[in-house]
Protein backbone atom coordinates (compact mmCIF):
# COMPACT_ATOMS: atom_id res chain seq x y z
CA UNK A 1 0.00 0.00 0.00
CA UNK A 2 1.05 3.58 -0.58
CA UNK A 3 2.97 5.22 2.25
CA UNK A 4 3.26 8.93 3.09
CA UNK A 5 6.07 10.02 5.41
CA UNK A 6 6.10 13.28 7.38
CA UNK A 7 8.57 14.58 9.97
CA UNK A 8 7.07 14.24 13.46
CA UNK A 9 7.79 17.86 14.33
CA UNK A 10 8.81 21.19 12.86
CA UNK A 11 9.66 24.33 14.78
CA UNK A 12 9.61 27.89 13.48
CA UNK A 13 10.12 31.33 14.97
CA UNK A 14 7.23 33.78 14.80
CA UNK A 15 7.27 35.69 11.54
CA UNK A 16 9.46 33.13 9.80
CA UNK A 17 8.62 30.53 7.16
CA UNK A 18 7.69 26.96 8.09
CA UNK A 19 7.95 24.13 5.62
CA UNK A 20 6.31 20.77 6.25
CA UNK A 21 7.18 17.93 3.91
CA UNK A 22 5.26 14.85 2.85
CA UNK A 23 7.25 12.16 1.07
CA UNK A 24 5.91 9.35 -1.07
CA UNK A 25 6.98 7.35 -4.08
CA UNK A 26 6.42 9.58 -7.13
CA UNK A 27 4.00 11.70 -5.10
CA UNK A 28 4.33 14.39 -7.77
CA UNK A 29 2.01 12.32 -9.94
CA UNK A 30 -0.74 12.48 -7.31
CA UNK A 31 -2.89 15.26 -5.91
CA UNK A 32 -1.92 16.11 -2.33
CA UNK A 33 -4.24 17.64 0.24
CA UNK A 34 -3.38 19.09 3.65
CA UNK A 35 -5.30 19.33 6.91
CA UNK A 36 -4.68 21.40 10.02
CA UNK A 37 -5.78 19.95 13.35
CA UNK A 38 -5.69 21.83 16.64
CA UNK A 39 -6.00 20.02 19.99
CA UNK A 40 -9.40 18.45 20.62
CA UNK A 41 -10.72 19.68 17.28
CA UNK A 42 -11.59 17.99 14.00
CA UNK A 43 -9.20 18.44 11.06
CA UNK A 44 -9.69 21.39 8.72
CA UNK A 45 -8.74 21.38 5.04
CA UNK A 46 -6.07 24.03 4.37
CA UNK A 47 -4.80 23.03 0.93
CA UNK A 48 -6.17 20.86 -1.87
CA UNK A 49 -4.91 19.76 -5.27
CA UNK A 50 -1.35 20.58 -4.19
CA UNK A 51 -1.69 24.37 -4.37
CA UNK A 52 -5.31 25.45 -3.95
CA UNK A 53 -6.50 27.19 -0.79
CA UNK A 54 -10.08 26.82 0.46
CA UNK A 55 -11.88 30.07 1.15
CA UNK A 56 -10.95 31.47 4.53
CA UNK A 57 -7.42 30.06 4.55
CA UNK A 58 -4.82 32.87 4.61
CA UNK A 59 -2.59 33.50 1.61
CA UNK A 60 0.33 32.80 3.94
CA UNK A 61 -0.40 29.11 3.30
CA UNK A 62 0.92 27.68 0.05
CA UNK A 63 1.74 24.28 -1.35
CA UNK A 64 3.94 22.53 -3.87
CA UNK A 65 4.37 19.00 -5.13
CA UNK A 66 7.10 17.49 -7.29
CA UNK A 67 9.06 14.28 -7.57
CA UNK A 68 8.92 12.37 -4.32
CA UNK A 69 7.91 15.20 -1.99
CA UNK A 70 5.07 17.63 -1.41
CA UNK A 71 5.49 20.68 0.81
CA UNK A 72 3.12 22.85 2.78
CA UNK A 73 4.67 26.28 3.35
CA UNK A 74 3.44 28.72 5.97
CA UNK A 75 4.89 32.21 5.61
CA UNK A 76 5.03 34.78 8.39
CA UNK A 77 4.17 32.13 10.96
CA UNK A 78 1.90 33.08 13.83
CA UNK A 79 1.17 31.51 17.20
CA UNK A 80 -2.27 30.56 15.86
CA UNK A 81 -0.63 28.31 13.24
CA UNK A 82 0.52 25.90 15.94
CA UNK A 83 -1.21 22.64 15.13
CA UNK A 84 -0.76 19.17 13.67
CA UNK A 85 -0.63 19.09 9.87
CA UNK A 86 -1.41 15.96 7.87
CA UNK A 87 -1.04 15.30 4.17
CA UNK A 88 -3.42 13.01 2.29
CA UNK A 89 -3.71 11.46 -1.18
CA UNK A 90 -5.99 9.12 -3.01
CA UNK A 91 -4.06 6.05 -4.15
CA UNK A 92 -5.49 4.94 -7.49
CA UNK A 93 -3.74 1.56 -7.35
CA UNK A 94 -5.67 0.49 -4.26
CA UNK A 95 -8.59 2.94 -4.53
CA UNK A 96 -7.84 3.85 -0.94
CA UNK A 97 -7.31 7.18 0.77
CA UNK A 98 -4.01 7.57 2.61
CA UNK A 99 -2.80 9.97 5.31
CA UNK A 100 0.69 10.86 6.36
CA UNK A 101 1.57 10.40 10.00
CA UNK A 102 1.19 14.09 10.78
CA UNK A 103 3.63 16.85 11.75
CA UNK A 104 3.37 18.92 14.88
CA UNK A 105 4.20 22.55 14.11
CA UNK A 106 5.53 24.58 17.01
CA UNK A 107 5.84 28.35 16.72
CA UNK A 108 8.35 29.59 19.29
CA UNK B 1 -22.96 25.08 5.07
CA UNK B 2 -22.63 21.28 5.25
CA UNK B 3 -23.01 19.94 8.77
CA UNK B 4 -22.06 16.50 10.05
CA UNK B 5 -23.19 15.70 13.59
CA UNK B 6 -21.98 12.50 15.19
CA UNK B 7 -23.34 10.43 18.04
CA UNK B 8 -21.89 10.61 21.53
CA UNK B 9 -18.98 8.89 23.22
CA UNK B 10 -19.09 5.14 23.76
CA UNK B 11 -17.41 2.76 26.21
CA UNK B 12 -17.31 -0.85 25.07
CA UNK B 13 -15.89 -4.12 26.29
CA UNK B 14 -13.27 -6.14 24.46
CA UNK B 15 -14.91 -8.20 21.72
CA UNK B 16 -18.07 -6.10 21.60
CA UNK B 17 -19.33 -3.99 18.69
CA UNK B 18 -19.91 -0.27 18.41
CA UNK B 19 -22.13 1.70 16.02
CA UNK B 20 -21.41 5.37 15.44
CA UNK B 21 -23.79 7.61 13.52
CA UNK B 22 -23.17 10.70 11.40
CA UNK B 23 -26.17 12.86 10.53
CA UNK B 24 -25.78 15.13 7.54
CA UNK B 25 -27.66 18.35 6.98
CA UNK B 26 -27.73 21.55 4.95
CA UNK B 27 -27.00 19.81 1.64
CA UNK B 28 -28.31 17.14 -0.70
CA UNK B 29 -27.40 13.86 0.95
CA UNK B 30 -26.22 12.15 -2.21
CA UNK B 31 -23.78 14.86 -3.31
CA UNK B 32 -21.06 13.85 -0.86
CA UNK B 33 -19.46 10.49 -0.17
CA UNK B 34 -19.05 9.91 3.55
CA UNK B 35 -15.74 8.55 4.83
CA UNK B 36 -14.75 7.33 8.27
CA UNK B 37 -11.35 8.30 9.66
CA UNK B 38 -10.06 7.43 13.10
CA UNK B 39 -7.34 8.81 15.34
CA UNK B 40 -5.91 6.81 18.21
CA UNK B 41 -4.56 8.78 21.21
CA UNK B 42 -1.44 10.69 20.19
CA UNK B 43 -1.49 9.15 16.73
CA UNK B 44 -2.19 10.27 13.17
CA UNK B 45 -5.31 10.04 11.05
CA UNK B 46 -6.24 6.62 9.65
CA UNK B 47 -8.70 6.09 6.80
CA UNK B 48 -11.19 3.30 7.42
CA UNK B 49 -13.48 3.40 4.42
CA UNK B 50 -16.33 5.15 2.69
CA UNK B 51 -19.95 4.83 1.67
CA UNK B 52 -21.64 6.29 -1.38
CA UNK B 53 -24.96 7.52 0.05
CA UNK B 54 -26.60 7.38 -3.36
CA UNK B 55 -25.97 3.71 -4.13
CA UNK B 56 -25.00 2.39 -0.70
CA UNK B 57 -21.80 0.96 -2.16
CA UNK B 58 -18.81 0.81 0.17
CA UNK B 59 -15.02 0.68 0.00
CA UNK B 60 -13.17 -0.46 3.11
CA UNK B 61 -9.51 -0.24 4.00
CA UNK B 62 -7.85 -3.64 3.90
CA UNK B 63 -7.10 -3.43 7.62
CA UNK B 64 -10.78 -3.29 8.55
CA UNK B 65 -12.22 -5.69 6.00
CA UNK B 66 -14.50 -8.16 7.76
CA UNK B 67 -14.84 -6.02 10.92
CA UNK B 68 -16.38 -2.79 9.63
CA UNK B 69 -19.76 -2.17 8.06
CA UNK B 70 -20.93 1.19 6.76
CA UNK B 71 -24.60 1.80 6.01
CA UNK B 72 -26.88 4.71 5.35
CA UNK B 73 -30.48 5.70 5.99
CA UNK B 74 -31.48 8.09 3.24
CA UNK B 75 -34.74 8.97 4.97
CA UNK B 76 -32.82 10.64 7.80
CA UNK B 77 -29.60 11.54 5.91
CA UNK B 78 -27.63 9.49 8.40
CA UNK B 79 -24.61 7.27 7.86
CA UNK B 80 -23.55 4.56 10.30
CA UNK B 81 -20.22 2.88 10.99
CA UNK B 82 -20.32 -0.44 12.78
CA UNK B 83 -17.03 -1.90 14.07
CA UNK B 84 -17.08 -5.39 15.56
CA UNK B 85 -14.73 -7.59 17.60
CA UNK B 86 -13.34 -4.54 19.36
CA UNK B 87 -9.74 -4.60 20.59
CA UNK B 88 -7.97 -2.22 22.92
CA UNK B 89 -6.20 -0.76 19.86
CA UNK B 90 -9.59 0.40 18.57
CA UNK B 91 -9.72 3.05 21.30
CA UNK B 92 -9.78 6.23 19.23
CA UNK B 93 -11.74 9.25 18.10
CA UNK B 94 -13.79 8.34 15.05
CA UNK B 95 -14.62 11.04 12.52
CA UNK B 96 -16.97 11.08 9.57
CA UNK B 97 -15.82 13.29 6.71
CA UNK B 98 -17.49 14.41 3.49
CA UNK B 99 -15.97 14.19 0.04
CA UNK B 100 -17.86 16.04 -2.70
CA UNK B 101 -18.87 14.22 -5.86
CA UNK B 102 -17.46 15.72 -9.04
CA UNK B 103 -19.25 14.52 -12.13
CA UNK B 104 -18.77 10.78 -12.36
CA UNK B 105 -15.98 10.85 -9.77
CA UNK B 106 -15.11 12.64 -6.55
CA UNK B 107 -12.66 15.33 -5.50
CA UNK B 108 -10.30 13.13 -3.46
CA UNK B 109 -10.28 15.34 -0.37
CA UNK B 110 -12.51 15.98 2.64
CA UNK B 111 -14.31 19.30 2.73
CA UNK B 112 -16.20 18.79 5.96
CA UNK B 113 -15.73 16.78 9.12
CA UNK B 114 -17.94 15.71 11.98
CA UNK B 115 -17.00 16.67 15.53
CA UNK B 116 -15.63 13.21 16.33
CA UNK B 117 -16.83 10.37 18.57
CA UNK B 118 -14.57 8.92 21.25
CA UNK B 119 -14.80 5.15 21.46
CA UNK B 120 -13.07 3.60 24.46
CA UNK B 121 -12.52 -0.14 24.56
CA UNK B 122 -11.83 -1.59 27.97
CA UNK B 123 -11.58 -4.98 29.58
Amino acid sequence: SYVLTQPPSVSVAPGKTARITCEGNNIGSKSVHWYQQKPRQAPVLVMYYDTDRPSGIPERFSGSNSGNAATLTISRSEAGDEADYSCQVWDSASDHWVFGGGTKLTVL
Amino acid sequence: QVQLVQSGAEVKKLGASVKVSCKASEYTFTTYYIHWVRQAPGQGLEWMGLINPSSGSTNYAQKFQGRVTMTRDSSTSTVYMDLSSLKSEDTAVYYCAAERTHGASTTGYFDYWGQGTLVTVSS
Side-chain angles (χ1 to χ4, degrees), chain A residues 1-15:
Chain A
S1 59
Y2 194 76
V3 176
L4 295 175
T5 301
Q6 297 182 237
S9 63
V10 168
S11 296
V12 64

Side-chain angles (χ1 to χ4, degrees), chain A residues 8-66:
Chain A
S9 63
V10 168
S11 296
V12 64
K16 299 301 185 182
T17 298
R19 294 178 179 84
I20 300 171
T21 58
C22 176
E23 296 183 344
N25 183 39
N26 197 25
I27 196 174
S29 68
K30 301 180 183 300
S31 292
V32 180
H33 320 294
W34 293 90
Y35 302 87
Q36 176 193 70
Q37 187 179 22
K38 296 185 178 180
R40 295 170 298 282
Q41 294 185 21
V44 172
L45 180 72
V46 296
M47 196 68 57
Y48 63 98
Y49 293 153
D50 302 337
T51 60
D52 292 346
R53 277 179 292 104
S55 61
I57 300 302
E59 291 183 11
R60 300 184 296 104
F61 286 74
S62 62
S64 64
N65 183 19
S66 178

Side-chain angles (χ1 to χ4, degrees), chain B residues 6-11 18 20 39 41 91-94 116-120:
Chain B
Q6 300 183 221
S7 49
E10 303 264 12
V11 179
V18 67
V20 181
Q39 186 170 39
T91 293
V93 175
Y94 289 76
T117 297
L118 175 61
V119 174
T120 303

Side-chain angles (χ1 to χ4, degrees), chain B residues 10-25:
Chain B
E10 303 264 12
V11 179
K12 296 292 182 181
K13 295 287 191 185
L14 288 170
S17 296
V18 67
K19 193 168 188 174
V20 181
S21 67
C22 172
K23 183 172 174 60
S25 62

Side-chain angles (χ1 to χ4, degrees), chain A residues 33 35 37 40-45 47-49 84 86 88-90 94-102, chain B residues 35 37 39 43-47 50 59-62 95 99 102 106-111 113-116:
Chain A
H33 320 294
Y35 302 87
Q37 187 179 22
R40 295 170 298 282
Q41 294 185 21
V44 172
L45 180 72
M47 196 68 57
Y48 63 98
Y49 293 153
D84 291 329
S86 297
Q88 174 254 311
V89 301
W90 171 66
S94 61
D95 192 20
H96 285 182
W97 280 250
V98 181
F99 286 96
Chain B
H35 297 246
V37 176
Q39 186 170 39
Q43 302 300 308
L45 301 168
E46 181 176 30
W47 181 76
L50 70 88
N59 176 4
Y60 302 140
Q62 203 79 357
Y95 294 101
E99 179 196 11
H102 183 65
T106 57
T107 60
Y109 58 87
F110 310 120
D111 298 84
W113 295 70
Q115 83 275 20

Side-chain angles (χ1 to χ4, degrees), chain B residues 78-111:
Chain B
T78 302
V79 170
Y80 299 91
M81 188 281 297
D82 198 316
L83 187 62
S84 62
S85 304
L86 289 171
K87 316 168 190 176
S88 57
E89 310 89 91
D90 293 320
T91 293
V93 175
Y94 289 76
Y95 294 101
C96 58
E99 179 196 11
R100 185 166 46 90
T101 57
H102 183 65
S105 63
T106 57
T107 60
Y109 58 87
F110 310 120
D111 298 84

